[in-house]
Amino acid sequence: MELSGGEIIAQFLHDEGVEYLFGYPGGAVLQIYDALLRADKTKHILVRHEQAATHAADGYARSTGKTGVALVTSGPGMTNAVTGIATAYLDSIPLVVLTGQVPTGVIGSDAFQEVDSVGISRPCVKHNFLVKDINDLAETLTKAFYLASSGRPGPVVVDIPKDVTDPNIKIPYTYQQSIEMRSYNPVTKGHPFQIKKALELMLQAKKPVFYTGGGVVLGNASETLRTLVKTLNFPITSTLMGLGAYPSSDEQFLGMLGMHGTYEANMAMHDTDVLIAVGARFDDRVTGHLEHFCPTAKIIHIDIDPSSISKTVQVDIPIVGDVDDVLTSMLELLKDSDNKVTNDSDAMKAWWKQIKQWRKKNCLRYNKKTKTIKPQYVIEKLNEITDDDAYITSDVGQHQMFAAQYYKFEKPRHWINSGGLGTMGFGLPAAMGVQLAHLDKTVACVTGEGSIQMNIQELATCMQYQLPIKIINLNNRYLGMVRQWQEFFYEGRYAMSYMDSIPDFVKLAESYRHVGMKVEQTSDVEDALREAFAMKDKLVFIDFISNREENVYPMIAEGKGHHEMELAPDSELL
Amino acid sequence: MRHIISILLENESGALSRVAGLFSARAYNIESLTVAPTEDPSMSRMTLVTSGSAEIIEQITKQLNKLIDVVKLNDLNVSCVQHIEREMMLIKLKAPASAREEIMRLTDIFRANIIDVNGDTYTVELTGTTEKLNAFINVFDCDSILETVRSGVMGIARGSSSLHV
Ligand SMILES: Cc1cc2nc3c(=O)[nH]c(=O)nc-3n(C[C@H](O)[C@H](O)[C@H](O)COP(=O)(O)OP(=O)(O)OC[C@H]3O[C@@H](n4cnc5c(N)ncnc54)[C@H](O)[C@@H]3O)c2cc1C
Ligand SMILES: Cc1ncc(C[n+]2csc(CCOP(=O)(O)OP(=O)(O)O)c2C)c(N)n1
Ligand SMILES: [Mg+2]
């Protein structure tokens, strides 16, 4: 088959089985777009801003486990995409981003719409390529998909100069599905000796706790994790990124840990003697002050990326390997008679008794009897009326934390949010990618009046492709998370965290031919949600006018340890 | 502590900037860096000198290994490895008639070579450890040194162990 560069890209995406390509055209990619008209398996989704293309591809990837793909033009198209690329990078999401570039002959001459895409993206990609020769194009695409999805996943940028996609230059093409790279051999199998040592330590533990993260989701290890945790009868807590990997409803689950984690999870972290970190990277939102972190624990850390291990916290038993592989090996070892699980030992009984004590604090309590809408209440109701199959995306701020705390995730890949970069504007475009990947499933985007306005233009994309996303806008008329910090740490000086001139979201939604609803009283919340979710084929924007100065509790202030967390003051509870 | 890290790198455009970018992004310091293709032109050999605590050096080697263009690397300053290091310097000295004798004598003592001579300058080539090069510089007063060019450190393990694919 003789194909031009543009046709090679179209044909490759087809052969690779790429369902959706999220993009936005421009001069440098015109020839690719022209060729795409011929690709029948891959559907192009026209977004309204390149940032949204990357977030939508990202949402698609997070919810399916497959690589998300975006296509943008050179210069401003590429720079607009950078936020989405960095978002995917910090959460280790497999993306391939194709960027147009000026023709090879004028690279470096400050040509029209030229930026050094490889240079700009270098610090926020797993790898990137500049394809200077059409003969390297197909192989580079194979490498890009391989790198993005294997080992610790991440975004890969492929920068393609315009002359490489010249329709008049055709070369033979064959699809190559896999490729060997001498410089890239991600480890998958954990070291058997380390695994055995870890298991021995676990079986001797008196106060063990599992601390699991996004790696369990990325490594599709939920089932194995559940079996192991059940077999051992250990308590388990999860990072923001790992929510859903272990069912929230299970009694061994302590909830999220960290800055806005539960009392029981953080206290268990503080008191544990054996911490089993699984696919989690000891982020500062999780560890709190490092000096106070797990002061009495021996630490086991399972991670596919050696550089995640002992990066901020020195660990005792590192295991480099794929989480599913390592946990499976542990389960196998447990079948040996000399590895007896003594989960009914006195020590374990005492540990569970202690945890029950902590649980009694009921740290997520809040006052439900107010007339003004509590954001927590909206999430609880959302949880009630959607089933375990619903996908929840979120933006960044207080509403994100409320969603993480009050929505009970039962399945992996159903909680889609930007944790590492914390990108406001992520929620709606991510929800588009999720909805396209799961056309018959419920998708809700929990957002705030600040975040939603960062990519509000995507309501047009939702109109074009009839995406029936439910937008849950927790409208507190504040950049709430910023306001909370100003209340706590800047003596209540609310510098620029007040949202003046908020649009009429109902009319705004309607102008895109969506349904808009405004809800102002607690008593109307449930009915409104039911009504909205009953509109199966409509995007519904529900503007919940919620309590203005609600704070997210519990909270560990920066520089404090897990045991120093603050709970909501009693006055707020009743 | 000072560490010499030997790296085999894909000979791709941009590979060097990935290494340099890693160091600046993570605020690691580079004392010196040399790079050139190996006998296999598809690969470059880089020697990088850095310093930091054991934990930082561990992160540096892990982060370097994570770069897709890095084929293999070796920290020459771990206890099980003995190594040899060399650096080369070209130094241009003022050489008025009165100073020539002394320059030639010092050149001899340091086993250096005079590689260019003209009316009033001598250029000397010298190879050795960083300390030896420093010592040579220090025997001249600043006024008589017109220019120095140093290659940066190259390192290789002693014995039969070698860094290759
Ligand atoms: C406003 C705000 C507040 C936040 N508050 C909190 C909070 O209270 N609590 C909290 O937990 N987070 C919080 N976060 C999120 C936080 O910033 C981090 O994003 C998060 O804690 C990181 O989660 P993780 O450790 O699971 O790592 P991830 O970023 O999910 O990293 C996954 C790890 O797993 C590894 N991995 C990947 N694939 C595999 C595999 N197949 N096998 C083995 N390992 C693998 C990777 O190498 C990596 O080390 C907050 C974020 C925001 C924006
Ligand atoms: C792109 C971007 N800019 C700034 C921030 C800093 N920031 C974090 S939360 C937040 C406020 C979010 O406000 P809103 O969306 O209304 O959510 P709320 O906290 O009120 O629920 C801001 C400004 C960010 N995370 N992302
Ligand atoms: Mg707000």
Side-chain angles (χ1 to χ4, degrees):
Chain A
M1 207 173 1
E2 297 251 313
L3 298 178
S4 71
E7 290 166 342
I8 289 176
I9 293 168
Q11 187 61 39
F12 182 90
L13 295 176
H14 174 96
D15 292 341
E16 187 72 22
V18 173
E19 263 182 294
Y20 293 108
L21 175 60
F22 300 89
Y24 206 87
V29 288
L30 278 173
Q31 293 158 358
I32 303 178
Y33 269 89
D34 198 42
L36 277 176
L37 286 178
R38 276 165 266 181
D40 43 1
K41 214 193 239 169
T42 307
K43 184 166 185 211
H44 181 273
I45 304 294
L46 180 69
V47 294
R48 298 300 184 270
H49 186 294
E50 289 86 350
Q51 181 187 351
T54 44
H55 288 331
D58 180 322
Y60 174 89
R62 289 183 204 235
S63 69
T64 58
K66 296 187 224 161
T67 301
V69 192
L71 169 62
V72 300
T73 193
S74 68
M78 187 279 162
T79 54
N80 270 352
V82 169
T83 301
I85 296 168
T87 302
Y89 181 65
L90 281 196
D91 290 342
S92 306
I93 305 304
L95 283 195
V96 170
V97 180
L98 309 174
T99 56
Q101 185 53 281
V102 300
T104 45
V106 299
I107 287 181
S109 68
D110 302 322
F112 177 62
Q113 297 197 324
E114 177 183 3
V115 294
D116 175 7
S117 304
V118 165
I120 287 179
S121 60
R122 195 180 52 233
C124 58
V125 292
K126 181 164 171 184
H127 198 60
N128 57 19
F129 297 94
L130 170 64
V131 184
K132 286 193 200 133
D133 183 341
I134 183 176
N135 291 297
D136 299 334
L137 182 57
E139 186 180 292
T140 304
L141 291 171
T142 303
K143 282 184 184 168
F145 276 82
Y146 170 50
L147 288 172
S149 60
S150 57
R152 178 177 183 171
V156 177
V157 165
V158 184
D159 199 28
I160 306 165
K162 191 166 183 181
D163 53 322
V164 171
T165 56
D166 183 339
N168 299 315
I169 300 172
K170 301 201 178 214
I171 61 159
Y173 162 84
T174 45
Y175 172 62
Q176 193 187 346
Q177 196 190 354
S178 61
I179 192 160
E180 288 254 319
M181 292 174 73
R182 66 179 169 189
S183 62
Y184 178 72
N185 298 294
V187 180
T188 54
K189 285 251 171 299
H191 197 292
F193 178 73
Q194 293 291 92
I195 295 176
K196 192 155 183 288
K197 225 168 70 177
L199 193 68
E200 279 164 13
L201 183 65
M202 285 154 68
L203 292 174
Q204 287 161 18
K206 295 188 168 67
K207 303 174 180 180
V209 65
F210 274 96
Y211 144 50
T212 61
V216 179
V217 178
L218 296 164
N220 299 313
S222 294
E223 281 304 313
T224 320
L225 175 72
R226 187 185 320 200
T227 315
L228 183 66
V229 172
K230 280 280 147 202
T231 311
L232 293 166
N233 188 36
F234 288 0
I236 171 172
T237 174
S238 166
T239 68
L240 180 73
M241 302 314 291
L243 293 175
Y246 191 89
S248 299
S249 57
D250 187 88
E251 57 182 13
Q252 279 165 251
F253 189 64
L254 306 183
M256 182 171 82
L257 81 163
M259 183 173 273
H260 293 297
T262 66
Y263 185 71
E264 50 271 34
N266 286 332
M267 290 307 287
M269 289 293 287
H270 186 260
D271 277 15
T272 181
D273 64 345
V274 175
L275 179 70
I276 310 126
V278 187
R281 59 183 173 83
F282 295 82
D283 184 83
D284 51 81
R285 302 270 121 159
V286 163
T287 57
H289 196 296
L290 287 175
E291 230 169 71
H292 304 300
F293 180 74
C294 298
T296 51
K298 285 247 186 293
I299 303 177
I300 297 163
H301 188 186
I302 303 167
D303 203 292
I304 202 161
D305 178 0
S307 76
S308 274
I309 291 175
S310 295
K311 182 167 62 180
T312 55
V313 172
Q314 291 296 312
V315 304
D316 300 281
I317 306 184
I319 305 174
V320 177
D322 174 58
V323 46
D324 197 52
D325 202 271
V326 174
L327 297 184
T328 304
S329 307
M330 285 184 170
L331 276 169
E332 250 140 50
L333 282 178
L334 278 174
K335 288 184 189 141
D336 295 354
S337 51
D338 43 333
N339 294 318
K340 258 214 149 44
V341 181
T342 50
N343 58 25
D344 53 350
S345 71
D346 291 347
M348 278 304 288
K349 274 187 199 151
W351 183 224
W352 272 114
K353 199 170 152 204
Q354 171 66 74
I355 288 168
K356 273 177 199 136
Q357 284 300 322
W358 288 327
R359 268 187 173 149
K360 279 198 191 135
K361 286 251 183 199
N362 201 2
C363 68
L364 294 178
R365 262 183 322 151
Y366 65 94
N367 183 359
K368 300 186 192 197
K369 291 183 207 127
T370 56
K371 196 170 158 215
T372 47
I373 299 173
K374 289 273 186 178
Q376 299 93 323
Y377 180 76
V378 177
I379 305 292
E380 278 190 335
K381 286 293 157 194
L382 176 68
N383 183 48
E384 247 175 69
I385 69 166
T386 51
D387 61 21
D388 298 350
D389 282 337
Y391 291 85
I392 310 294
T393 76
S394 113
D395 264 303
V396 172
Q398 292 184 316
H399 60 271
Q400 176 188 25
M401 292 299 109
F402 290 132
Q405 292 174 327
Y406 293 89
Y407 197 94
K408 301 296 165 208
F409 296 96
E410 297 295 313
K411 293 181 177 175
R413 302 199 178 279
H414 284 60
W415 164 237
I416 314 278
N417 81 137
S418 163
L421 198 66
T423 310
M424 289 171 68
F426 175 79
L428 177 57
M432 302 188 316
V434 176
Q435 185 77 77
L436 284 160
H438 311 275
L439 289 169
D440 54 343
K441 293 278 158 54
T442 300
V443 180
C445 166
V446 175
T447 185
E449 80 297 332
S451 294
I452 193 66
Q453 291 189 73
M454 285 223 178
N455 269 318
I456 191 77
Q457 78 287 344
E458 295 309 312
L459 286 174
T461 311
C462 296
M463 168 163 71
Q464 181 170 350
Y465 299 96
Q466 296 172 10
L467 303 176
I469 297 161
K470 305 297 177 281
I471 298 175
I472 314 293
N473 189 38
L474 298 176
N475 186 345
N476 52 9
R477 286 86 73 216
Y478 270 122
L479 300 174
M481 186 56 95
V482 173
R483 188 208 55 76
Q484 176 169 348
W485 282 57
Q486 290 170 335
E487 179 188 328
F488 288 6
F489 310 119
Y490 298 86
E491 296 167 335
R493 292 185 300 276
Y494 292 171
M496 311 305 154
S497 55
Y498 171 62
M499 270 293 210
D500 210 346
S501 313
I502 296 172
D504 180 334
F505 287 114
V506 173
K507 283 197 186 136
L508 184 64
E510 284 168 359
S511 76
Y512 288 99
R513 280 178 250 144
H514 301 310
V515 178
M517 290 165 73
K518 184 169 178 174
V519 186
E520 291 177 275
Q521 287 190 16
T522 305
S523 52
D524 296 335
V525 168
E526 183 165 348
D527 287 347
L529 282 170
R530 288 196 187 281
E531 193 187 330
F533 280 88
M535 289 184 249
K536 292 261 179 256
D537 50 3
K538 284 278 183 194
L539 184 150
V540 186
F541 191 118
I542 323 171
D543 192 17
F544 289 101
I545 307 302
S546 54
N547 192 30
R548 292 204 76 187
E549 302 201 357
E550 194 65 32
N551 288 321
V552 182
Y553 287 108
M555 176 164 183
I556 304 175
E558 252 179 344
K560 297 279 168 123
H562 282 144
H563 60 305
E564 296 170 299
M565 68 183 333
E566 271 185 57
L567 303 183
D570 284 340
S571 56
E572 303 218 351
L573 295 177
L574 296 167
Chain B
M1 191 185 143
R2 175 175 176 271
H3 280 249
I4 302 179
I5 300 172
S6 290
I7 305 166
L8 277 180
L9 203 61
E10 292 289 355
N11 196 0
E12 302 269 353
S13 72
L16 178 60
S17 60
R18 290 181 208 280
V19 175
L22 170 68
F23 275 71
S24 64
R26 295 188 184 263
Y28 305 141
N29 68 320
I30 299 183
E31 279 168 25
S32 82
L33 184 154
T34 73
V35 58
T38 63
E39 74 284 0
D40 170 355
S42 72
M43 268 190 291
S44 296
R45 167 77 173 243
M46 175 184 276
T47 309
L48 195 151
V49 181
T50 182
S51 57
S53 63
E55 290 80 39
I56 288 183
I57 299 294
E58 185 183 329
Q59 262 303 308
I60 289 177
T61 54
K62 284 174 169 177
Q63 293 291 347
L64 283 168
N65 258 318
K66 199 167 144 180
L67 294 178
I68 308 296
D69 284 337
V70 169
V71 182
K72 226 174 181 183
L73 68 77
N74 206 348
D75 180 352
L76 293 177
N77 292 80
V78 291
S79 54
C80 53
V81 180
Q82 285 202 322
H83 74 275
I84 304 162
E85 58 179 276
R86 289 288 181 273
E87 191 178 347
M88 183 175 161
M89 174 169 70
L90 304 178
I91 179 167
K92 190 173 284 181
L93 299 161
K94 278 188 199 158
S98 59
R100 288 181 195 168
E101 189 83 1
E102 178 68 357
I103 292 175
M104 289 198 297
R105 205 172 58 82
L106 289 165
T107 303
D108 260 3
I109 293 172
F110 278 84
R111 295 175 204 279
N113 297 312
I114 297 171
I115 55 169
D116 185 51
V117 174
N118 81 1
D120 39 33
T121 68
Y122 279 9
T123 299
V124 177
E125 169 202 322
L126 173 59
T127 306
T129 60
T130 301
E131 294 76 48
K132 179 175 167 182
L133 268 49
N134 289 344
F136 189 73
I137 290 174
N138 286 337
V139 298
F140 297 97
D141 56 42
C142 291
D143 287 347
S144 57
I145 300 175
L146 291 169
E147 191 177 347
T148 61
V149 198
R150 296 170 71 149
S151 63
V153 172
M154 294 181 294
I156 197 164
R158 280 190 186 276
S160 56
S161 81
S162 62
L163 185 65
H164 64 122
V165 287

